[in-house]
Amino acid sequence: MSLFKERQYLRVHVDREPDDSLWMKCKSCGELVFKRRVRENSNVCPSCGEYFFQTSQERMESILDPGTYEPFGERLVTDDPLSFVDSRAYRERVAETQAKTGLDDAILIGRGAIEGIPVVLGVMDFRFIGGSMGSVVGEQISRAIEAAVADRRGFILISSSGGARIQEGMFSLLQMAKTVTVRRRLAEAGLPFVSVMTYPTSGGVEASIASLGDIIIAEKGAMIGFAGRRVIEQTIAEELPAHFQTESFALEHGQIDRVVRREDLRTELALALGFFVGAR
Amino acid sequence: MSLFKERQYLRVHVDREPDDSLWMKCKSCGELVFKRRVRENSNVCPSCGEYFFQTSQERMESILDPGTYEPFGERLVTDDPLSFVDSRAYRERVAETQAKTGLDDAILIGRGAIEGIPVVLGVMDFRFIGGSMGSVVGEQISRAIEAAVADRRGFILISSSGGARIQEGMFSLLQMAKTVTVRRRLAEAGLPFVSVMTYPTSGGVEASIASLGDIIIAEKGAMIGFAGRRVIEQTIAEELPAHFQTESFALEHGQIDRVVRREDLRTELALALGFFVGAR
Amino acid sequence: MTDERTLDLLEAKIEELRQLNAIDGMDLSKEIARLEEKLAVLRQDLYSNLTDWERVRIARHPKRPYALDYIASVFSDFYELRGDRIVGDDRALVAGLARLDGRPVALLGQQKGRTTEENKERFFGMTRPQGYRKAKRLMDLAERFGFPLVSLIDTSGAYPGVESEELNIGGAIAENLETMAGLRVPTVAVIIGEGGSGGALAIGLADRVLMLEDAIYSVITPEGAAAILWKDKERAREAATALQMTAPHLLNLGLIDGVIPEPLGGAHKNPAVTSAALKEALVRHVNELSAIRLDQLLAARYQRYRNVGRYTTRAADASRGAP
Amino acid sequence: MTDERTLDLLEAKIEELRQLNAIDGMDLSKEIARLEEKLAVLRQDLYSNLTDWERVRIARHPKRPYALDYIASVFSDFYELRGDRIVGDDRALVAGLARLDGRPVALLGQQKGRTTEENKERFFGMTRPQGYRKAKRLMDLAERFGFPLVSLIDTSGAYPGVESEELNIGGAIAENLETMAGLRVPTVAVIIGEGGSGGALAIGLADRVLMLEDAIYSVITPEGAAAILWKDKERAREAATALQMTAPHLLNLGLIDGVIPEPLGGAHKNPAVTSAALKEALVRHVNELSAIRLDQLLAARYQRYRNVGRYTTRAADASRGAP
Ligand SMILES: [Zn+2]
Ligand SMILES: [Zn+2]
């Protein structure tokens, strides 16, 4: 979904420097910073603290213990069940995005460890059609949860999604039902689900799996909400509060447990998961 | 509790005519009305519709099918566990109230039928120290619920209470825990609990058993709330809304299911209970 | 092709002729009969080949029967239960107990308004968090007493507004989904008009999902999709087709379990006939589901939603690996 | 009798003398020793014969350790969880996970503020519906994962205000009670300061209910009781005695399970010692409860609350009958 395309990327900038360059210029402070240091710092500018965009692969790396990431399961691609064409064919849009990102769809799942605690981790990727949830995202989340249950590990989902994948129509909407249905298996097995909301966590993802964490953590700079600002502004003639749908809005209104800086996310997750190791 | 003593008896007037008189004068419309007609009309003025105070006996009569009321269990009186004395001894206050009302404490319980549907009914009586819930009220509610479970009947509680019985200290507070604990037995047995809130349903009764009805019905003219107006006004410098803690306030704020006129309560209860006859 | 209004005019003319015929004694009966035949043919043409967009328009038709209309005609003894016990009572989602062919059921219905007044009260049929939490309460009540749960879905979507977000509307919808996924009673959902995205699905994760013939069910409104995907609101017709949001499409895609027929021209042309068809379908499905053992019912529901989606497994290749 | 302030002054003087002694080399050690003995005797006199009203004052002492102080000293790894997922986050009731002697527990604590700023944030320690619903969420979490639940109670009462009533504070308290009555994990509640009526009980329906020695637990504040029963706020002392709200009284009445000793003068005189005693008691009770089979735990909890109350059966007589 492109609902968010024209919105300001609060504190989030895609790193567009050519891949072979060792240095990049921070758009916020203007400093030339060593790319590897940025990577090692969870894509946070070492000079000014600005957050750069993090791909799903980069998040996997920055959260899991080095060398523990183990992708699993099959590679899945959408069937384009509606043979959908808008300004262009969905099939082409997907193929092009796959080529550009190296992803099959808007999520990566894998096993790994965080400070030694085994987990199953799912990371959504906003670059893939706005991180929208279609058949593949729904299926991969389901498989990740099933793997967590089979291995008796906690499950972590890092959301970054504009919502449903419009191009898959009702198949997309029903992924909300699907992920929530499978999520119950974790609860029945007494295994924890930690939901991490980043920029943006909205629409059908926010209104299903992402809101059902036993613990819900928001990354600083996250956008959290159901309806898009534009939709709300069009429906009602209300002035939106300044911090509307920010992580502090969500915290103030009781929707999330904690706000963490990206640099601290890994430690934070280890701390949270620690309580559940060996529980029930 | 006398929290409500100085408050206006919204639409509620105690019938103070001597008992041998056949007629009474309505304080609202001034008409002389035939007492028996008033009784038959759920203590609602046949001339102007004003509500007169209804004792627990009168409520039993007006709600249950004629001749079906069957009190059960033992007669219980408080032990005065704190040997409490304020401006006078609690023991004396109780004895005097017993003599004046013919009640043992602030509740009547009994079996009966409503339009043929067998029920267990508890009716609180505001005349008995403000309908406050002490050891006896808590125990009788518990016994009523246990009887309902044993007979597989629905349970109805008609509340009229200022809250806890201060004079019994923590014994009184713990009746909240007691009634709620026993209430779970009804749920486990798949039997319905209909809570009827009248003037007033507040404090410890509102914050426990009365708020846990599967269905919550308010009588028109009810007062529903946790804290007393005076306490709120003293704590905060807020202006209280005009309809604060009225039945329409409770309905607007999603706290109750329905508002009914007293004359319709019997029919209303039969309608509600009908759904549960033969359920699970 | 002739449109609905022209046909309505023609019908009115025929009625005038019939009255004339009756009064003046002049015999127009043959002419009237011929006109009626013609009208029937035109109507058949118009409605039996409805485009997706025409169905969208019927689904939103201001005269279309709403939830409370069906609640009155299909069920008996409706006993409304109000309030979420937390914040308020959302009049855009009515809830209560009722009897379906004598059997007690828990009932949820999304309710639009007809007049300005009603629409103000009903928030144009858009459900707020208060409504979803009331629905949750009814789901819990249904489970406690073993009542089958019936949802009548008709909303353009959950209400988008500041208060909705403040009250965590996304979380409320998610919680309803979680509750319905595990609800230990039979559940049937019927889209009676508009099935608007998550706002509809929130009470629609059921054992049987049915649609009235001219209802729609979609991840987004055609207008919303047109604005986002085509950058052009005017292309809603195209979007409506592309999204396959009508009952026949969704049945064909295997996403719903049945289509309940409507009279030619839509439910509002003959509400009584529609109600009868709805009732027949509800009774049948509730009866079927009630005959299934609970563990099997839950297992089937699990499989249904676990397996929804269309994807293909890619052959593993060298490009895959750790980052 | 000497009061607390005089003793504090005396203690300060002794400390000054001690410093003088160290600096000037003049030998005051005997005099100092004698003064210290005297101080100890006075303190013993003052605190070991505390009146109920004096206990009320200690329970409310502005220097008394609050929930977060104990959370830091008794538990490790406190991981705060915020929000009710519905309306907001009440800072007057903190909640989270923590370790008690290494064992994960779910933790609830009612938190007062010390400064004006803090009190504004913490609503003077008075819990709002948002807080009770957050507590409910933690109870559910505790049950899902088998964490014992520990409540640290310290509130003058639930927050009385228009918003509280609008958000159904009574219903929220009732729901907490219902949840705790059936919670399938061991539960321990400790009144660490003020146990103010329903606002305290809401998180206090536990398998074990303990009190710090100088804490109070009452159906109403002494001031409230004085105003209502004596029509005279000044008679709060009398009310405090009559209501039997101190730990020794409530232990004697069989309403609590244990009293955790405090240093002479109250917990604030030696928070470390108090924390150690609190920790010892919590560990012991949680261990004991965890060793009990769940069905027996629930049965015992049921009996405990089913049977609370003091009444006498009246001989049946003729005055009883149908109305
Ligand atoms: Zn920078
Ligand atoms: Zn009158």
Side-chain angles (χ1 to χ4, degrees):
Chain A
M1 255 183 35
S2 42
L3 262 174
F4 297 89
K5 279 212 178 127
E6 62 271 54
R7 291 190 45 196
Q8 194 198 346
Y9 267 40
L10 301 158
R11 320 166 125 266
V12 177
H13 304 272
V14 181
D15 164 13
R16 294 201 178 282
E17 307 291 314
D19 253 357
D20 49 1
S21 133
L22 290 175
W23 297 82
M24 61 178 282
K25 190 173 174 179
C26 171
K27 284 175 190 161
S28 176
C29 65
E31 287 288 307
L32 270 181
V33 288
F34 195 32
K35 262 191 169 179
R36 224 186 70 191
R37 275 221 49 208
V38 173
R39 284 271 145 73
E40 287 167 0
N41 199 32
S42 305
N43 285 21
V44 178
C45 174
S47 161
C48 73
E50 183 71 12
Y51 288 7
F52 304 121
F53 179 81
Q54 233 186 351
T55 66
S56 44
Q57 289 94 337
E58 287 165 349
R59 278 213 186 264
M60 279 283 183
E61 275 182 76
S62 73
I63 286 172
L64 295 177
D65 295 346
T68 65
Y69 173 41
E70 216 191 297
F72 66 84
E74 300 166 314
R75 299 184 55 181
L76 306 179
V77 291
T78 176
D79 269 1
D80 182 17
L82 307 187
S83 304
F84 198 89
V85 180
D86 49 74
S87 57
R88 60 189 297 199
Y90 175 47
R91 206 172 276 275
E92 280 170 37
R93 196 188 291 268
V94 167
E96 188 190 283
T97 311
Q98 285 171 336
K100 210 159 64 181
T101 60
L103 297 167
D104 295 328
D105 208 300
I107 194 166
L108 278 188
I109 62 170
R111 291 190 183 84
I114 300 178
E115 298 196 0
I117 304 171
V119 296
V120 172
L121 179 60
V123 183
M124 303 185 71
D125 199 309
F126 192 74
R127 295 173 303 162
F128 205 102
I129 316 187
S132 55
M133 179 162 72
S135 295
V136 172
V137 170
E139 179 65 20
Q140 294 290 28
I141 289 175
S142 302
R143 291 187 181 191
I145 290 172
E146 284 164 351
V149 171
D151 296 359
R152 297 207 57 75
R153 297 173 179 218
F155 173 59
I156 300 169
L157 178 65
I158 303 189
S159 299
S160 177
S161 173
R165 179 81 50 90
I166 298 176
Q167 294 88 347
E168 294 187 26
M170 280 299 292
F171 285 100
S172 169
L173 186 71
L174 287 167
Q175 301 310 305
M176 294 170 67
K178 175 171 182 161
T179 52
V180 168
T181 295
V182 180
R183 185 262 177 274
R184 293 179 57 90
R185 291 278 152 116
L186 276 170
E188 286 158 14
L191 296 166
F193 166 35
V194 181
S195 173
V196 180
M197 297 179 166
T198 75
Y199 181 88
T201 299
S202 63
V205 169
E206 197 257 353
S208 64
I209 185 75
S211 282
L212 295 177
D214 294 307
I215 295 175
I216 301 180
I217 295 169
E219 181 177 86
K220 218 161 166 329
M223 176 268 157
I224 296 165
F226 178 61
R229 288 180 81 98
R230 259 195 324 154
V231 177
I232 297 174
E233 282 166 341
Q234 280 168 8
T235 309
I236 55 168
E238 281 180 64
E239 182 79 17
L240 301 185
H243 70 322
F244 190 60
Q245 295 186 334
T246 61
E247 79 283 12
S248 69
F249 178 90
L251 190 68
E252 179 187 326
H253 292 288
Q255 299 170 10
I256 58 176
D257 287 302
R258 302 166 71 93
V259 175
V260 296
R261 297 186 310 168
R262 187 191 283 170
E263 311 87 287
D264 302 331
L265 187 52
R266 178 188 151 69
T267 319
E268 173 82 13
L269 287 170
L271 195 54
L273 290 167
F275 290 103
F276 302 92
V277 174
R280 282 246 159 105
Chain B
M1 259 185 34
S2 41
L3 264 173
F4 298 90
K5 278 210 179 125
E6 62 270 55
R7 291 191 45 197
Q8 195 197 347
Y9 267 40
L10 300 159
R11 319 167 122 269
V12 177
H13 304 272
V14 182
D15 164 13
R16 294 201 178 283
E17 307 292 313
D19 255 355
D20 48 0
S21 134
L22 289 175
W23 297 83
M24 62 177 283
K25 190 174 175 181
C26 172
K27 284 176 190 161
S28 176
C29 65
E31 288 288 308
L32 271 182
V33 287
F34 195 31
K35 262 192 171 180
R36 224 186 69 191
R37 275 223 44 213
V38 173
R39 283 271 145 73
E40 285 168 1
N41 198 32
S42 305
N43 285 22
V44 178
C45 174
S47 161
C48 71
E50 182 72 11
Y51 288 7
F52 304 121
F53 179 81
Q54 231 185 354
T55 66
S56 45
Q57 288 95 337
E58 286 164 351
R59 278 214 185 263
M60 279 282 183
E61 275 182 77
S62 73
I63 286 173
L64 295 177
D65 294 346
T68 65
Y69 173 42
E70 216 191 297
F72 66 84
E74 299 165 315
R75 298 183 55 180
L76 307 178
V77 291
T78 177
D79 269 1
D80 182 17
L82 308 187
S83 304
F84 198 89
V85 181
D86 49 75
S87 56
R88 59 188 300 198
Y90 175 47
R91 205 172 278 277
E92 280 170 38
R93 195 188 291 270
V94 166
E96 188 191 283
T97 312
Q98 286 171 336
K100 209 159 65 182
T101 59
L103 297 167
D104 294 330
D105 209 300
I107 193 167
L108 278 189
I109 62 171
R111 291 190 183 85
I114 300 177
E115 298 194 1
I117 304 171
V119 296
V120 171
L121 179 60
V123 183
M124 302 185 72
D125 199 309
F126 193 74
R127 295 173 302 162
F128 204 102
I129 314 186
S132 55
M133 178 162 72
S135 296
V136 172
V137 169
E139 179 66 20
Q140 293 289 28
I141 289 176
S142 302
R143 292 186 181 191
I145 291 173
E146 285 165 349
V149 172
D151 296 359
R152 295 207 58 75
R153 298 173 179 217
F155 172 60
I156 300 169
L157 178 66
I158 303 189
S159 299
S160 177
S161 173
R165 177 82 49 90
I166 297 177
Q167 293 88 347
E168 294 187 25
M170 279 298 293
F171 286 100
S172 168
L173 187 71
L174 287 167
Q175 301 310 305
M176 294 170 66
K178 175 171 182 161
T179 52
V180 168
T181 294
V182 180
R183 183 262 176 275
R184 292 180 58 89
R185 291 277 153 116
L186 276 169
E188 286 159 13
L191 296 166
F193 166 35
V194 181
S195 173
V196 180
M197 296 179 166
T198 75
Y199 181 89
T201 299
S202 64
V205 169
E206 198 257 353
S208 65
I209 185 73
S211 282
L212 294 176
D214 293 306
I215 295 175
I216 302 180
I217 295 168
E219 181 177 87
K220 218 161 167 331
M223 176 267 157
I224 297 165
F226 177 61
R229 287 181 82 96
R230 260 196 323 153
V231 176
I232 296 175
E233 282 165 340
Q234 281 168 6
T235 309
I236 54 168
E238 281 181 64
E239 182 80 17
L240 301 186
H243 70 323
F244 190 60
Q245 296 185 333
T246 61
E247 78 283 12
S248 70
F249 178 90
L251 190 68
E252 178 188 326
H253 291 289
Q255 299 170 10
I256 58 175
D257 287 301
R258 302 166 70 92
V259 174
V260 297
R261 297 186 310 168
R262 188 192 282 171
E263 311 87 288
D264 302 331
L265 188 51
R266 179 187 150 68
T267 320
E268 173 82 13
L269 287 170
L271 196 53
L273 290 166
F275 290 103
F276 301 92
V277 174
R280 281 248 161 107
Chain C
M1 211 162 79
T2 345
D3 74 0
E4 188 182 351
R5 192 142 34 148
T6 319
L7 292 189
D8 286 350
L9 281 174
L10 177 57
E11 187 170 17
K13 286 294 159 215
I14 296 174
E15 182 55 32
E16 284 170 29
L17 285 175
R18 201 179 282 120
Q19 281 175 21
L20 217 60
N21 196 23
I23 294 166
D24 286 20
M26 58 174 158
D27 190 6
L28 298 173
S29 46
K30 271 191 188 155
E31 289 74 8
I32 291 174
R34 203 163 292 166
L35 277 169
E36 281 177 331
E37 268 169 47
K38 180 68 183 169
L39 176 63
V41 170
L42 286 171
R43 194 165 263 160
Q44 183 74 28
D45 278 0
L46 174 60
Y47 294 125
S48 58
N49 296 301
L50 288 177
T51 64
D52 292 328
W53 181 247
E54 282 159 351
R55 280 233 155 81
V56 170
R57 295 193 55 194
I58 293 177
R60 295 169 173 174
H61 200 288
K63 288 187 180 160
R64 193 169 175 83
Y66 293 150
L68 283 173
D69 300 312
Y70 292 121
I71 289 173
S73 58
V74 170
F75 300 85
S76 60
D77 298 341
F78 178 56
Y79 188 81
E80 187 173 3
L81 299 176
R82 292 174 61 171
D84 62 3
R85 299 281 187 271
I86 306 172
V87 167
D89 180 50
D90 183 359
R91 308 302 297 139
L93 191 149
V94 295
L97 302 177
R99 289 181 189 279
L100 173 65
D101 199 29
R103 176 203 295 268
V105 297
L107 194 52
L108 303 173
Q110 289 173 317
Q111 178 65 30
K112 296 177 174 178
R114 286 190 206 285
T115 63
T116 308
E117 264 311 281
E118 277 179 18
N119 269 318
K120 205 181 144 194
E121 183 193 358
R122 306 282 183 188
F123 278 70
F124 294 85
M126 292 183 281
T127 310
R128 289 174 298 147
Q130 296 90 320
Y132 293 117
R133 296 203 175 95
K134 173 167 65 176
K136 164 84 164 80
R137 192 164 74 77
L138 263 281
M139 292 172 194
D140 292 341
L141 191 73
E143 186 166 74
R144 176 174 282 185
F145 294 102
F147 298 141
L149 181 76
V150 175
S151 299
L152 303 179
I153 293 172
D154 190 12
T155 183
S156 60
Y159 186 75
V162 172
E163 194 208 47
S164 288
E165 300 290 330
E166 287 173 343
L167 293 175
N168 198 6
I169 191 163
I173 291 172
E175 213 181 326
N176 281 11
L177 292 174
E178 193 176 31
T179 305
M180 289 196 85
L183 207 66
R184 302 174 64 80
V185 292
T187 53
V188 180
V190 187
I191 296 93
I192 58 171
E194 285 186 275
S197 195
L201 180 65
I203 60 167
L205 194 163
D207 294 315
R208 296 284 162 85
V209 180
L210 312 173
M211 287 178 76
L212 287 187
E213 190 177 355
D214 297 321
I216 54 172
Y217 196 6
S218 177
V219 67
I220 189 169
T221 59
E223 294 81 358
I228 292 173
L229 299 179
W230 281 266
K231 318 283 174 217
D232 180 359
K233 278 198 173 176
E234 301 308 307
R235 299 178 71 172
R237 275 163 200 261
E238 272 170 79
T241 299
L243 286 165
Q244 303 197 31
M245 54 175 64
T246 65
H249 282 307
L250 292 171
L251 187 68
N252 190 43
L253 292 169
L255 293 178
I256 60 171
D257 302 287
V259 177
I260 299 165
E262 296 190 32
L264 275 185
H268 60 288
K269 294 291 183 186
N270 196 336
V273 164
T274 315
S275 290
L278 174 57
K279 182 171 181 176
E280 183 280 322
L282 280 173
V283 170
R284 180 160 43 83
H285 284 284
V286 168
N287 282 344
E288 280 177 24
L289 293 170
S290 301
I292 300 172
R293 259 181 35 206
L294 184 63
D295 56 343
Q296 289 173 349
L297 187 78
L298 292 174
R301 193 189 301 156
Y302 187 86
Q303 287 310 318
R304 176 196 190 119
Y305 290 101
R306 168 63 188 85
N307 293 326
V308 68
R310 294 267 185 93
Y311 53 84
T312 299
T313 306
R314 233 190 199 182
D317 65 34
S319 71
R320 165 69 168 287
Chain D
M1 211 163 76
T2 345
D3 74 359
E4 189 182 351
R5 192 142 33 147
T6 319
L7 291 189
D8 286 350
L9 281 175
L10 178 57
E11 188 170 16
K13 286 294 158 213
I14 296 174
E15 183 54 32
E16 284 169 32
L17 284 175
R18 201 179 281 120
Q19 281 174 21
L20 215 61
N21 194 24
I23 294 165
D24 286 18
M26 57 173 160
D27 191 3
L28 298 173
S29 46
K30 271 191 189 155
E31 289 75 5
I32 291 175
R34 204 162 293 163
L35 279 169
E36 282 177 330
E37 267 169 46
K38 180 69 180 168
L39 176 64
V41 169
L42 286 171
R43 193 166 265 160
Q44 183 75 27
D45 277 2
L46 173 61
Y47 294 125
S48 57
N49 296 301
L50 288 177
T51 63
D52 291 328
W53 181 247
E54 282 159 350
R55 280 232 154 82
V56 170
R57 295 193 54 194
I58 293 178
R60 296 169 172 174
H61 198 289
K63 288 188 179 159
R64 193 168 175 83
Y66 293 151
L68 283 172
D69 300 312
Y70 291 121
I71 289 174
S73 58
V74 170
F75 301 85
S76 59
D77 298 340
F78 178 55
Y79 187 82
E80 186 172 4
L81 299 176
R82 292 175 61 172
D84 62 2
R85 299 280 188 270
I86 306 171
V87 167
D89 180 50
D90 183 359
R91 310 301 298 141
L93 189 149
V94 297
L97 301 176
R99 289 181 190 279
L100 173 64
D101 198 29
R103 176 204 295 268
V105 297
L107 195 51
L108 302 173
Q110 289 172 318
Q111 178 64 30
K112 296 177 174 178
R114 284 189 207 285
T115 63
T116 309
E117 265 311 281
E118 277 179 19
N119 268 319
K120 205 181 143 194
E121 183 194 358
R122 307 283 183 188
F123 276 71
F124 293 86
M126 292 183 281
T127 309
R128 289 173 298 146
Q130 296 91 320
Y132 293 117
R133 296 203 174 95
K134 174 167 65 176
K136 165 84 164 79
R137 192 164 73 78
L138 263 283
M139 292 171 194
D140 292 341
L141 191 74
E143 186 166 73
R144 176 174 282 186
F145 295 103
F147 299 140
L149 181 76
V150 175
S151 300
L152 303 179
I153 293 171
D154 190 13
T155 184
S156 61
Y159 186 75
V162 172
E163 195 208 46
S164 288
E165 299 291 330
E166 286 173 344
L167 293 175
N168 198 6
I169 192 163
I173 291 172
E175 213 181 325
N176 280 12
L177 292 174
E178 192 176 33
T179 304
M180 289 195 86
L183 207 66
R184 301 175 65 79
V185 292
T187 53
V188 180
V190 187
I191 295 94
I192 58 170
E194 285 186 276
S197 195
L201 180 65
I203 60 167
L205 193 162
D207 293 315
R208 297 285 161 84
V209 180
L210 312 173
M211 287 178 77
L212 287 186
E213 191 176 355
D214 297 321
I216 55 171
Y217 196 7
S218 177
V219 67
I220 189 169
T221 59
E223 293 81 359
I228 293 172
L229 300 179
W230 281 265
K231 318 282 176 219
D232 179 0
K233 277 199 173 175
E234 301 307 309
R235 298 178 72 172
R237 274 164 201 261
E238 272 170 79
T241 299
L243 287 165
Q244 303 197 30
M245 54 175 62
T246 65
H249 281 307
L250 292 171
L251 187 68
N252 190 43
L253 291 171
L255 294 178
I256 61 170
D257 303 287
V259 177
I260 300 165
E262 296 191 34
L264 275 185
H268 60 289
K269 293 292 183 186
N270 196 336
V273 163
T274 316
S275 291
L278 174 58
K279 182 172 181 176
E280 184 279 323
L282 279 174
V283 170
R284 180 159 43 84
H285 284 284
V286 168
N287 283 343
E288 280 177 25
L289 293 170
S290 300
I292 301 172
R293 261 181 34 207
L294 185 63
D295 56 343
Q296 289 173 350
L297 187 77
L298 292 173
R301 192 188 302 156
Y302 187 86
Q303 286 310 318
R304 174 194 189 120
Y305 290 101
R306 167 64 187 85
N307 293 326
V308 68
R310 296 265 185 94
Y311 53 85
T312 299
T313 305
R314 235 191 198 182
D317 66 34
S319 72
R320 165 69 169 288

